[in-house]
Amino acid sequence: KARHNAKRFLDTYYSTDVTDATMDRWGAYGSPETVLARIEAYVEEGLDVPILRFADSDQTEQLTIASEWLLPTLAARAGRTS
């Protein structure tokens, strides 16, 4: 469902049919745990500052989900408490 919602959002936002390859390269879709694993994989490859873009029509819900678990978990794993 998350990937489907993201595809629909990105197709509309960019006025194009975003390819599966681009979706795979650009995104982290799914549960907070799945998204965390994808971000951590980028960090392991040398990413310094992850930039999150919520590719969903319900931006508020996505921000709520991220702020309740994903962002605090990322901060804790990076050794930051705030």
Side-chain angles (χ1 to χ4, degrees):
K1 179 182 173 187
R3 184 184 171 93
H4 172 78
N5 289 349
K7 167 102 171 94
R8 186 176 54 216
F9 178 86
L10 293 170
D11 285 351
T12 301
Y13 187 82
Y14 290 108
S15 300
T16 191
D17 182 12
V18 177
T19 66
D20 285 339
T22 298
M23 292 289 295
D24 292 342
R25 213 173 35 250
W26 280 2
Y29 316 102
S31 68
E33 294 85 0
T34 300
V35 172
L36 176 64
R38 183 71 185 259
I39 293 170
E40 287 180 328
Y42 282 119
V43 170
E44 287 173 13
E45 292 295 322
L47 177 71
D48 292 325
V49 179
I51 298 172
L52 302 180
R53 172 69 163 102
F54 302 116
D56 193 294
S57 59
D58 192 343
Q59 301 280 304
T60 303
E61 177 186 13
Q62 296 303 310
L63 181 58
T64 299
I65 292 167
S67 64
E68 288 176 352
W69 187 83
L70 180 65
L71 299 176
T73 303
L74 280 170
R77 291 186 182 186
R80 299 181 184 133
T81 57
S82 58

